[in-house]
Amino acid sequence: MERVTMADVAEAAGVSVATVSYVLSGKRPVRPDTRAAVEAAIRELGFTPNTTARSLRTGRSSLVGLVVPDLANPFYAQFAAALQERLRDLGLHVVVCNTRADRSEELAFVREAAQQQFAGVVITPFRLTAKDLELLERAGVPVVVSADIRLGQVDRVAPEARSAMRAALQAVTDAGRRRIAMIAGPRDATGGDPRLELLRELARQFGTELPHGLVVRGEHTRAAGAEGFGELMSRRHPPDAVFCANDVIAVGAMDRAEELDVRIPGDVALVGYDDAVFASLVRPRLTTIRYPAQAAGEAAARLLRERIDGRTVPRTVRVKAEFVARESV
Amino acid sequence: MERVTMADVAEAAGVSVATVSYVLSGKRPVRPDTRAAVEAAIRELGFTPNTTARSLRTGRSSLVGLVVPDLANPFYAQFAAALQERLRDLGLHVVVCNTRADRSEELAFVREAAQQQFAGVVITPFRLTAKDLELLERAGVPVVVSADIRLGQVDRVAPEARSAMRAALQAVTDAGRRRIAMIAGPRDATGGDPRLELLRELARQFGTELPHGLVVRGEHTRAAGAEGFGELMSRRHPPDAVFCANDVIAVGAMDRAEELDVRIPGDVALVGYDDAVFASLVRPRLTTIRYPAQAAGEAAARLLRERIDGRTVPRTVRVKAEFVARESV
């Protein structure tokens, strides 16, 4: 079979070759009916652009990798949707890579993105180091880090959570709670746990503190939340307020509280982080610190676009978190 | 800077070039400590395999695209994890593409996967036709469809939900409910709504039926679930049992029930589909039909592996669904 060309598609659709090219690349807007005609012709003729040629020419795939530690955390679904929305007009497509917080999987995706010459990578690293990310830099793939932590000289989207965390502490102490605990992330996570550091610092300002025995650590999973909560409740002096590194952990804490017949917030106040979609579904509804996924995804897209447009100096964009009072404090 | 070669990496790691190649391709198992040494050398030297060359040689990327209509539905996170787990030893990496049930985004990802010569595509089509999938076939990219519907001559993973749906109807009718309704998927979805067809058929066996006015349609979203439930409750003779095309829709129905002060299950019994992770989080806990994401993801991996190994005749694998009785019936 002879290879179908762009010219064949253009002829079948009754448009110019340039228009076919715009539909394929997404580089310029094309009227919906024109686009439909071109797409119909592409399907009908079975046209497949010659990508090896294209890739040799432009040296770039149209894929942007969003590398996340936990696809089951709905925060990332919203983040991904916002990122895709803001990159669509460049003809870029977001694919989500789930590392399950496993360093070797993080490395595998970073390497793959470098090899395949992705158009960009947005990553929430969990166990990667700044050094690992240099692999992308050397391959000329723009990187945006979405995390609380610093990680080398790269673009970054990070929460500004100080005032939200302060409001959470205010609510907890207003409710008469004094023995504050945290179920934090794992000790070996990249950059430690900035949410724990922030809570520790602010707690002091409230004239209280996080006793050493009231900080437990685990993965960002529901199972780890259950385990952490159980551990805290087994202390000789258990806490009367528990902060969690994210909402998934908080839901695990609620599971265990129910098993142990610990009332929330009657016996223990509970504060999450993220405001994931299920935070308002659980009972009691989860009081949490809302890190807006949509705004964070949009900021990541903005940083990536600026890189693609040629900016070379790294930038950090802060996205404001806010305290959401529901029923668990 | 001179280009770092595989030989340089092999020398630095004190292994053979073949071993470096196995670490990169994942084609043969490599001892963890050897792998670690090679990875360290790769990082240290900043080695990037020359993929354009590799791609010209093997004609294949190591990416498998999982194309789904709604990344926010946790069903797909579990499915993706199982798929990844079962493809890892082939050196394949799963990337998730979220189409938001939008036909043009579905087409864009299918086209991208064909162009980039993905190692495979697993897709839950929402508005694509069999014709659209031929694009992948022509590009030589193996396809597995994960859906209730038939879609051309391709490999398929589909639920076997008959006995589970019968058990759900039994529970609903045992609870004295007779006016059965469904919040189904959109009318223009590929292959219609097989869950609706199945319910309709089985309802007749129970000596009841789904009156025309008690089938409402919408997207597979929480907002559509709320709207659908509101619509049903505004009927002159509202239903006393509502089946939903998935759990996300059911949660939307619960939102609206709360606003309307309709008690579940007191006034209306509610049945979901999927057993998404939040089904046991909502109150009342959602009674649902569990379609096991893990088993479905594993079946998809199996089909893909067989294709890669050379099987050419399409196969369908059925994954058994089960009725999960909780509190909403």
Side-chain angles (χ1 to χ4, degrees):
Chain A
M1 193 180 86
E2 202 150 337
R3 192 170 170 85
V4 178
T5 66
M6 266 211 250
D8 299 330
V9 173
E11 197 187 327
V15 302
S16 69
V17 172
T19 302
V20 175
S21 153
Y22 295 150
V23 168
L24 291 170
S25 69
K27 275 180 192 147
R28 295 225 194 147
V30 176
R31 278 174 43 194
D33 52 343
T34 308
R35 170 179 292 273
V38 171
E39 287 178 344
I42 286 172
R43 272 200 309 283
E44 206 161 306
L45 299 175
F47 171 72
T48 323
N50 186 337
T51 352
T52 307
R54 192 187 69 169
S55 156
L56 285 173
R57 200 168 60 243
T58 70
R60 277 283 166 263
S61 120
S62 73
L63 299 180
V64 170
L66 173 62
V67 183
V68 305
D70 178 16
L71 191 61
N73 185 341
F75 176 87
Y76 295 111
Q78 287 178 273
F79 187 103
L83 184 67
Q84 175 64 70
E85 185 62 37
R86 295 297 172 107
L87 294 177
R88 182 174 301 130
D89 65 325
L90 295 180
L92 298 179
H93 304 288
V94 174
V95 296
V96 185
C97 315
N98 185 24
T99 67
R100 305 186 310 168
D102 180 301
R103 178 174 156 77
S104 72
E105 299 207 22
E106 288 182 304
L107 266 176
F109 278 119
V110 162
R111 197 170 297 140
E112 199 61 26
Q115 287 176 5
Q116 304 277 342
Q117 288 283 291
F118 273 25
V121 167
V122 178
I123 183 168
T124 297
F126 208 83
R127 291 186 160 96
L128 282 189
T129 63
K131 194 137 196 62
D132 299 319
L133 290 183
E134 286 172 13
L135 200 69
L136 290 165
E137 203 186 323
R138 273 194 300 270
V141 175
V143 184
V144 176
V145 166
S146 171
D148 306 27
I149 51 165
R150 279 214 162 285
L151 203 72
Q153 291 297 309
V154 291
D155 287 342
R156 189 165 66 114
V157 180
E160 173 47 64
R162 184 169 290 269
S163 64
M165 189 70 94
R166 193 178 285 123
L169 268 165
Q170 189 71 58
V172 163
T173 51
D174 282 355
R177 309 306 167 100
R178 287 297 173 271
R179 289 190 57 78
I180 294 170
M182 181 159 187
I183 308 177
R187 194 173 296 277
D188 68 338
T190 304
D193 192 329
R195 295 169 189 184
L196 170 62
E197 297 319 314
L198 182 59
L199 180 64
R200 211 193 283 279
E201 178 198 332
L202 292 176
R204 266 183 232 113
Q205 299 181 11
F206 278 82
T208 174
E209 58 173 327
L210 268 76
H212 226 67
L214 292 189
V215 174
V216 295
R217 291 170 173 283
E219 298 296 314
H220 281 192
T221 62
R222 191 167 166 183
E227 196 176 331
F229 191 83
E231 221 180 295
L232 289 172
M233 288 302 120
S234 71
R235 297 281 189 262
R236 186 199 292 257
H237 300 291
D240 54 15
V242 176
F243 284 74
C244 300
N246 77 3
D247 288 349
V248 176
I249 293 173
V251 167
M254 286 174 118
D255 292 339
R256 185 57 50 89
E258 194 167 350
E259 286 166 30
L260 298 175
D261 219 11
V262 171
R263 288 166 310 148
I264 291 175
D267 301 317
V268 177
L270 193 69
V271 181
Y273 196 111
D274 277 345
D275 196 20
V277 64
F278 53 75
S280 56
L281 289 177
V282 292
R283 297 291 183 275
R285 291 176 180 83
L286 185 64
T287 292
T288 190
I289 288 168
R290 174 163 194 262
Y291 182 41
Q294 166 98 14
E298 289 173 359
R302 209 156 50 238
L303 288 173
L304 205 55
R305 295 180 75 113
E306 290 173 8
R307 277 284 169 184
I308 290 168
D309 286 350
R311 174 172 55 73
T312 55
V313 181
R315 272 187 65 197
T316 292
V317 174
R318 294 266 171 195
V319 174
K320 207 167 167 54
E322 53 178 321
F323 176 60
V324 180
R326 291 205 180 93
E327 301 168 350
S328 65
V329 170
Chain B
M1 193 179 85
E2 201 149 338
R3 191 171 172 84
V4 178
T5 66
M6 268 209 250
D8 299 331
V9 174
E11 196 187 328
V15 301
S16 70
V17 173
T19 303
V20 174
S21 155
Y22 296 148
V23 169
L24 291 169
S25 69
K27 274 179 194 148
R28 294 225 195 148
V30 175
R31 279 176 39 196
D33 53 342
T34 307
R35 171 179 292 275
V38 172
E39 287 178 345
I42 286 173
R43 274 199 309 282
E44 205 161 306
L45 300 174
F47 171 71
T48 322
N50 187 338
T51 351
T52 306
R54 193 186 67 166
S55 155
L56 284 174
R57 200 168 57 244
T58 70
R60 278 282 165 264
S61 119
S62 72
L63 299 180
V64 170
L66 173 62
V67 183
V68 304
D70 179 15
L71 191 61
N73 185 341
F75 176 86
Y76 295 112
Q78 286 178 271
F79 186 102
L83 184 66
Q84 175 65 71
E85 185 63 36
R86 295 296 172 108
L87 295 177
R88 181 174 303 128
D89 65 326
L90 295 181
L92 298 179
H93 304 289
V94 173
V95 295
V96 186
C97 315
N98 185 23
T99 67
R100 306 186 309 169
D102 180 301
R103 178 173 156 76
S104 71
E105 298 205 23
E106 288 181 304
L107 267 176
F109 278 118
V110 162
R111 199 170 294 140
E112 200 62 25
Q115 287 174 6
Q116 305 277 341
Q117 288 283 289
F118 273 26
V121 167
V122 178
I123 182 168
T124 297
F126 208 84
R127 290 187 162 95
L128 281 189
T129 63
K131 197 142 192 58
D132 300 319
L133 290 184
E134 287 173 12
L135 201 69
L136 290 165
E137 204 185 322
R138 272 194 301 269
V141 175
V143 183
V144 176
V145 166
S146 171
D148 306 25
I149 51 164
R150 278 214 161 284
L151 203 72
Q153 291 297 310
V154 291
D155 286 342
R156 190 165 67 114
V157 180
E160 173 47 65
R162 185 169 291 267
S163 64
M165 189 71 94
R166 193 178 285 125
L169 267 166
Q170 189 71 57
V172 163
T173 51
D174 282 355
R177 308 308 166 99
R178 287 297 174 272
R179 289 190 57 78
I180 294 170
M182 181 160 187
I183 308 178
R187 196 173 293 280
D188 68 339
T190 304
D193 192 329
R195 294 169 189 184
L196 171 60
E197 297 319 315
L198 181 59
L199 179 64
R200 210 193 282 279
E201 179 199 332
L202 292 176
R204 265 184 232 114
Q205 299 181 8
F206 277 82
T208 175
E209 57 172 330
L210 269 77
H212 225 69
L214 292 190
V215 174
V216 296
R217 290 171 173 282
E219 297 297 315
H220 282 191
T221 62
R222 189 168 168 182
E227 196 175 330
F229 191 83
E231 221 180 294
L232 289 172
M233 288 301 120
S234 71
R235 297 282 190 260
R236 186 198 292 255
H237 300 291
D240 54 15
V242 175
F243 284 74
C244 300
N246 77 3
D247 288 348
V248 176
I249 292 174
V251 166
M254 286 175 119
D255 293 339
R256 186 57 50 87
E258 193 166 351
E259 286 167 31
L260 297 175
D261 218 12
V262 171
R263 288 166 309 147
I264 292 175
D267 300 318
V268 178
L270 194 67
V271 181
Y273 196 110
D274 278 344
D275 195 20
V277 63
F278 52 75
S280 56
L281 289 177
V282 292
R283 295 293 183 273
R285 292 175 180 84
L286 185 64
T287 293
T288 189
I289 289 169
R290 175 163 194 260
Y291 182 40
Q294 167 98 11
E298 288 172 359
R302 208 156 52 238
L303 288 173
L304 206 55
R305 295 179 75 114
E306 291 173 7
R307 277 284 170 187
I308 290 168
D309 286 349
R311 175 172 55 74
T312 55
V313 180
R315 272 187 65 197
T316 291
V317 174
R318 294 267 171 195
V319 175
K320 206 166 167 54
E322 53 179 320
F323 177 60
V324 180
R326 291 203 181 94
E327 301 169 349
S328 65
V329 169

